[in-house]
Amino acid sequence: MIVAVVDIGKTNAKVALVDLATMQEVALRRTANAVATDGPYPHHDVERLWAFILESLAALHRDQRIDAISITTHGATAVLVDAEGGLALPVIDYEFAGIDELAPDYDAVRPAFAETGTPRLPAGLNVGAQLFFQQQRFPAEFTKTAAILMYPQYWALRLTGVAANEVTSLGCHTDLWNPWRADYSSLADKMDWRRLMAPVRPARDRLGPILSAIAQRTGLDPATPVFCGLHDSNASLLPHLLSDRPPLSVVSTGTWVVSMAVGGKKVDLDPARDTLVNVNALGDTVPSARFMGGREFSLLTGGQPQDWSEGDVAAVLAQKALLLPSTQRGSGPFPHRAAHWRNADALNTSQRFVAISFYLALMTATCLELIGGDGPTTVEGPFSQNRLFIRMLAAATDRPVVASETSTGTSIGAALLASDGATVMSKGERTEPPAERAWSDYARAWQQAVNL
């Protein structure tokens, strides 16, 4: 069975074909996901993305029959849909700082961390803050809202005409969901939003076949089913929930590096350090922590991997050349610190790349510690290909790390929504903590520096 996965990330949008028999991506189309700056505020160009999705489905189907469609997207995004299925307001970009203009008013109505497991985050990273801003600043347009959908289900609506919501996106630092009661939070009732929220359905639900107009435009079978879909980090987690035994940790990497602990150590989450409670595709709570690691990597390296040697590694370890947090301020485990280098004046470009990779691994290790991460850690997404990151993460956590063999763990996880049976995943290469003491000494030096 071939599943087309619509995968909308913050930086890139993709349509991938996944063969459920082999659990491998067999085709991929990609486009940059740029934020549009026209209109009342920065927003997602959903019409350009829609054209890309349809063109990709048509092109991929010409070469390989598509049997089903599944969807995964970045979090912190809701869509206000009018009675005709169009947009009541543009889909706001969660990085829009103007949302903070109403922060004092929003803080007066949002629920406590104890109710939602949601930390207070800047800009629109709390979906409730987005909705509050849109309702207060654009009341006439907001009244046209017939349904509020989370982002994966917006694309499902466009494909099937069926409106739904789903818990992994609702439970992703939105302020809208109480993960312990599996119900909307008091905010949804206080602001009278509950009546607008589309019905909650499981990620695995078949919402329906594609609309006839979609079938005509793409050439897909009109009976092609579309699954409800889920949040991208939870898509990375799903294969491990289905096939692995806790305790385990999963690190989903992309624009955001999201660490998730299943069956880990008991800890008290600290909302001031960007820890939170996610909800997985099975409806269970998952202690999680995040930082904007992919964005940091791009800023620090220009987004390009660089050549390095073991000699470069030895030099960085010996000098204890450290990059200290945070390159992206306002989120992550050190949200109020400004990045700076230590013992780094003599580094060449390759050595600086080594230190950057170590920094990202040590930030990830900090996130895992904050959420009680235990057992082997599986790294999904682009950072799984960075051997420096993998080795330092193993050294810093003193636990084995598995680098996933799949290039996009989100696509594999989303495709599993269309699978009726258990699937055995290919695990990838397992890295044990390095025997060389210099690695653990470096990790301790970094940890001591950030704890000063």
Side-chain angles (χ1 to χ4, degrees):
M1 183 177 186
I2 302 296
V3 182
V5 176
V6 176
D7 185 348
I8 310 296
K10 190 63 167 66
T11 305
N12 295 292
K14 301 174 283 289
V15 177
L17 296 190
V18 175
D19 186 342
L20 286 182
T22 62
M23 294 311 301
Q24 296 291 322
E25 287 183 6
V26 295
L28 176 68
R29 289 172 63 92
R30 180 192 307 262
T31 188
N33 187 12
V35 171
T37 56
D38 59 330
Y41 45 71
H43 59 93
H44 296 291
D45 190 347
V46 294
E47 294 309 319
R48 190 185 74 82
L49 289 172
W50 181 237
F52 164 75
I53 290 168
L54 295 181
E55 291 163 5
S56 297
L57 289 173
L60 292 168
H61 183 67
R62 285 194 291 269
D63 296 328
Q64 174 71 66
R65 174 186 167 85
I66 292 173
D67 300 304
I69 299 172
S70 188
I71 306 160
T72 184
T73 78
H74 61 78
T77 304
V79 184
L80 307 179
V81 178
D82 64 23
E84 288 73 44
L87 298 182
L89 278 164
V91 182
I92 198 165
D93 172 31
Y94 64 63
E95 294 187 78
F96 173 48
I99 293 171
D100 283 333
E101 295 171 2
L102 299 180
D105 295 332
Y106 180 66
D107 289 342
V109 299
R110 69 179 293 269
F113 183 80
E115 179 184 341
T116 63
T118 295
R120 182 64 169 108
L121 300 171
L125 284 168
N126 298 128
V127 167
Q130 297 178 26
L131 299 178
F132 187 85
F133 174 86
Q134 290 171 309
Q135 187 174 39
Q136 298 299 313
R137 287 285 190 257
F138 307 97
E141 293 83 352
F142 194 92
T143 60
K144 298 176 183 177
T145 301
I148 299 174
L149 309 178
M150 302 309 291
Y151 207 29
Q153 289 69 53
Y154 168 70
W155 299 110
L157 173 70
R158 295 199 69 161
L159 288 164
T160 67
V162 177
N165 272 314
E166 185 273 335
V167 295
T168 63
S169 292
L170 285 170
C172 179
H173 53 81
T174 64
D175 280 334
L176 297 173
W177 192 251
N178 183 322
W180 296 282
R181 292 179 52 195
D183 192 13
Y184 288 105
S185 73
S186 59
L187 178 67
D189 293 317
K190 189 178 295 184
M191 299 303 300
D192 196 27
W193 295 336
R194 183 188 286 262
R195 64 183 177 82
L196 298 174
M197 305 301 295
V200 177
R201 297 181 60 171
R204 287 175 173 268
D205 265 16
R206 297 187 181 203
L207 294 188
I210 56 174
L211 295 168
S212 58
I214 307 298
Q216 293 172 7
R217 182 164 174 179
T218 62
L220 271 67
D221 188 324
T224 303
V226 177
F227 291 81
C228 188
L230 74 174
H231 170 235
D232 54 9
S233 296
N234 274 287
S236 292
L237 179 63
L238 181 58
H240 307 285
L241 293 176
L242 298 178
S243 62
D244 296 348
R245 180 179 297 175
L248 62 94
S249 301
V250 174
V251 177
S252 174
T253 68
T255 302
W256 290 92
V257 173
V258 181
S259 298
M260 296 165 280
V262 178
K265 301 170 186 175
K266 178 68 174 177
V267 294
D268 292 324
L269 299 180
D270 183 353
R273 302 191 69 183
D274 214 347
T275 64
L276 62 148
V277 176
N278 269 308
V279 181
N280 69 30
L282 307 181
D284 299 324
T285 58
V286 181
S288 306
R290 344 156 304 145
F291 73 106
M292 219 168 189
R295 176 70 57 77
E296 292 189 327
F297 178 84
S298 295
L299 291 172
L300 291 163
T301 68
Q304 298 300 317
Q306 298 177 25
D307 293 331
W308 54 272
S309 68
E310 289 299 330
D312 295 319
V313 173
V316 171
L317 292 174
Q319 297 173 39
K320 290 189 173 53
L322 308 175
L323 174 57
L324 299 174
S326 294
T327 301
Q328 284 288 112
R329 301 178 69 179
S331 60
F334 306 99
H336 305 301
R337 297 197 188 181
H340 65 280
W341 288 89
R342 179 177 294 183
N343 305 328
D345 292 344
L347 295 186
N348 61 33
T349 301
S350 296
Q351 292 164 355
R352 193 167 288 261
F353 179 80
V354 172
I356 291 166
S357 299
F358 286 174
Y359 159 79
L360 295 167
L362 291 161
M363 287 283 283
T364 303
T366 300
C367 289
L368 288 167
E369 181 182 7
L370 289 171
I371 61 175
D374 199 3
T377 299
T378 299
V379 178
E380 299 279 2
F383 284 10
S384 68
Q385 308 305 309
N386 185 332
R387 290 288 303 150
L388 297 165
F389 176 90
I390 298 297
R391 289 164 68 187
M392 183 53 74
L393 183 59
T397 60
D398 198 28
R399 300 196 307 274
V401 176
V402 179
S404 174
E405 291 181 342
T406 61
S407 60
T408 312
T410 53
S411 295
I412 299 296
L416 279 174
L417 299 181
S419 174
D420 293 328
T423 301
V424 177
M425 292 290 296
S426 175
K427 299 300 181 187
E429 183 180 351
R430 179 179 173 123
T431 298
E432 300 293 337
E436 303 94 330
R437 183 174 174 179
W439 288 76
S440 55
D441 285 349
Y442 183 98
R444 278 193 293 272
W446 190 92
Q447 289 159 353
Q448 289 169 0
V450 299
N451 287 329
L452 290 177

